[in-house]
Amino acid sequence: MLTIRHPRRTVRAVALAVLLTAAATACTQSPPGHDERLSKAAGLARVSLVVSKDLWNETKPDGGANEVTAHTAVITKGPKAGRGLVRVTMSGTNLVAYLKELDHNAHPHTLDGEKQNTAASRRVYDAVAPGVDRIKAARAADDPQPEIIIDDTIPKSA
C-alpha cells in the first residue's frame, strides 16, 4: 500500500518536531566546564560560601528539584564582620543542587528569557564556578574546608 502525504504538512510536522526537541533539550546555555564542575562539587564533604544575606536569599532555591540544605550563620567577628555577610555551609551534593539552580537562572535559554534573579544568579555562579575549579585535595585531615567569598568590597587577598 502506497501512502502519499501532502508535502507542506510533512515539512510543518518536521519543523514542529525539531522545535519541540530543541525546546525540550535546551533548557539552559550552561558555560563550558559545567558538568565537570558539578562532578567535582559532588565530591566535596563541605564547602562555605561567604555572601551577603540578601544575595543568598535572592539566589537560594526555594524547594523543587534543586532544594538545598545549608547552615547559615551571620559573620560577627573578624575583618568580614559588620558587612551584612553570612557564611553558608553545605555539603558537596547540596552545592551541586545550588549550582544547577544558579545555572538555570543565570544562563536561561533565549526562548525562556531572563528570570527575576538572573543578574544575581549570574554573579554568584561566576564567583562560585572558579572557586570550585580551584579547590585542591586536602593535604592533611585538619585542612580547613574550602571557602568562596562573594563580596566585591573585600580585596582578593583578604
Side-chain angles (χ1 to χ4, degrees):
M1 180 172 164
L2 177 64
T3 304
I4 300 175
R5 298 188 84 178
H6 194 278
R8 275 189 263 173
R9 287 186 190 154
T10 302
V11 169
R12 278 190 229 149
V14 169
L16 180 61
V18 168
L19 282 174
L20 289 175
T21 301
T25 59
C27 295
T28 62
Q29 297 185 30
S30 300
H34 179 71
D35 291 338
E36 294 82 8
R37 189 168 297 119
L38 294 179
S39 294
K40 185 172 187 178
L44 300 174
R46 286 248 169 276
V47 65
S48 286
L49 305 178
V50 175
V51 62
S52 74
K53 184 178 180 180
D54 289 342
L55 191 56
W56 168 247
N57 287 333
E58 179 75 16
T59 61
K60 72 179 179 181
D62 291 324
N66 294 327
E67 188 170 349
V68 171
T69 302
H71 175 71
T72 306
V74 176
I75 296 177
T76 58
K77 297 179 182 171
K80 298 177 191 106
R83 296 174 167 272
L85 297 172
V86 294
R87 177 178 309 282
V88 181
T89 306
M90 64 183 79
S91 68
T93 53
N94 279 290
L95 180 58
V96 169
Y98 187 43
L99 283 168
K100 285 180 179 179
E101 181 78 7
L102 290 171
D103 182 42
H104 176 75
N105 294 331
H107 312 110
H109 188 271
T110 53
L111 296 176
D112 294 339
E114 289 202 356
K115 309 219 179 303
Q116 189 172 12
N117 69 350
T118 292
S121 295
R122 187 177 300 123
R123 175 63 185 102
V124 175
Y125 187 95
D126 289 350
V128 172
V132 170
D133 294 346
R134 284 190 302 269
I135 293 173
K136 303 284 187 227
R139 289 182 236 139
D142 61 345
D143 278 359
Q145 67 189 16
E147 178 180 80
I148 300 167
I149 300 171
I150 306 170
D151 184 349
D152 293 336
T153 65
I154 296 176
K156 298 288 184 212
S157 60

